[in-house]
Amino acid sequence: MKYLGRTSAAIAIGLLLVSVTQVQAQTDSQMGGFPMGGSSGQQRGTGQGGRSGFGGGQPVQGVVTAATASGLTLKTDAGDTYTVTVTDTARIMQNRQSIKLADIKVGDSVTAMGTVDAAKKTVQAMMLMDIDAATVAKAKANMGKTYITGKITAVDADNLKLTILRSDAVSQVVAVDDGTSFQRGTRGVAADVVAAGGLPQGGGRGQGGNRPGAGQGAGGTQPSGPPPAESITLADIKVGDSIMATGALKSGVFTVLKMGVSGPPPSGASRRGPSDQPPPDGAPQPPSAQSSDAPPAPPQ
């Protein structure tokens, strides 16, 4: 009876986690370095009419251009404008703390999760994650100096150079050397990016066992934690890979200290199941029908 009781409790907790788990996130982490979401208003896995539920499709992330007593207007990195309606029951987080809608200001970066209508550019928000404008500005200033996120567009192995299209749409050539550490997946680099001045986000996929319940055995064994990151080399990095890295300027060139690399998904492939990206503000995250390893673009 005690065993059945524990099993029932474990199942109930698992269902609760699935119902509230989520986006950079990041990877990430953000990604990379910027708030989770990075959808640019392009919803994935939406149903009829372009609608997606709390767990269906990507959240909408953008800069607040207007704020009222009942909602917000967000401009995404793609230039789309979304109207966000916020109910009294919506959860609003900033720096791991609950805040009020009135605390969100124009210029803040907000990730809105809820019922999204991509065609009408509306969100009925069940959760908002806010990062204040000053923090966003600082992170933008640090991009390419202490950390970098984006996609590889060229690899010059002979000269130990990589060209990266950053998540803020700027192309930058970076250097690697004997002190550079490469690893598969961006999750392990997300915390370093935050420490280097980037914004918290989820980091990439590619490090299995990080989702809630991952690694649990048949007897309800608790996971021992995420597996260690897989070390790779410069030869493993390809054009099109998403990266998240820390480093420093040396003679005017950003030199990578630590880089996480996530390859693009196979053509036509979809990823299903709860996202393994933790939320930027320590909030629960809804499952995503599909997600990308590409670091989210920063607010414009």
Side-chain angles (χ1 to χ4, degrees), residues 35-247:
M36 234 190 89
S39 64
S40 304
Q42 297 175 0
Q43 302 305 315
R44 303 179 183 182
T46 54
Q48 295 180 352
R51 293 183 180 275
S52 66
F54 191 70
Q58 297 288 330
V60 173
Q61 179 269 320
V63 173
V64 178
T65 58
T68 68
S70 60
L72 306 167
T73 302
L74 301 181
K75 184 176 181 180
T76 71
D77 58 284
D80 295 324
T81 298
Y82 273 75
T83 300
V84 181
T85 302
V86 183
T87 66
D88 292 338
T89 59
R91 187 175 183 185
I92 307 175
M93 305 291 293
Q94 183 188 79
N95 296 327
R96 302 179 182 274
Q97 301 294 326
S98 294
I99 62 173
K100 297 179 180 180
L101 180 60
D103 296 322
I104 298 179
K105 308 298 182 184
V106 171
D108 286 5
S109 175
V110 167
T111 300
M113 290 170 283
T115 303
V116 179
D117 190 321
K120 295 182 179 180
K121 299 292 187 295
T122 61
V123 183
Q124 293 181 0
M126 297 175 64
M127 179 181 291
L128 297 176
M129 289 179 284
D130 176 71
I131 300 178
D132 66 272
T135 302
V136 173
K138 181 179 179 181
K140 291 175 68 175
N142 287 329
M143 172 71 85
K145 298 177 182 177
T146 60
Y147 78 95
I148 192 168
T149 64
K151 285 191 175 183
I152 302 292
T153 57
V155 177
D156 184 356
D158 293 334
N159 295 304
L160 300 179
K161 303 287 187 182
L162 300 172
T163 304
I164 298 172
L165 180 61
R166 299 183 340 195
S167 51
D168 57 359
V170 174
S171 181
Q172 181 172 348
V173 176
V174 305
V176 299
D177 57 23
D178 292 338
T180 301
S181 169
F182 300 98
Q183 69 179 49
R184 183 76 63 191
T186 55
R187 175 177 292 278
V189 186
D192 299 280
V193 165
V194 174
L199 296 179
Q201 57 84 51
R205 302 175 76 91
Q207 305 223 14
N210 292 319
R211 296 185 303 274
Q216 291 184 355
T221 303
Q222 295 299 316
S224 58
E230 174 191 353
S231 295
I232 60 175
T233 67
L234 180 61
D236 297 309
I237 298 176
K238 310 298 182 185
V239 171
D241 286 350
S242 297
I243 65 95
M244 180 184 295
T246 60

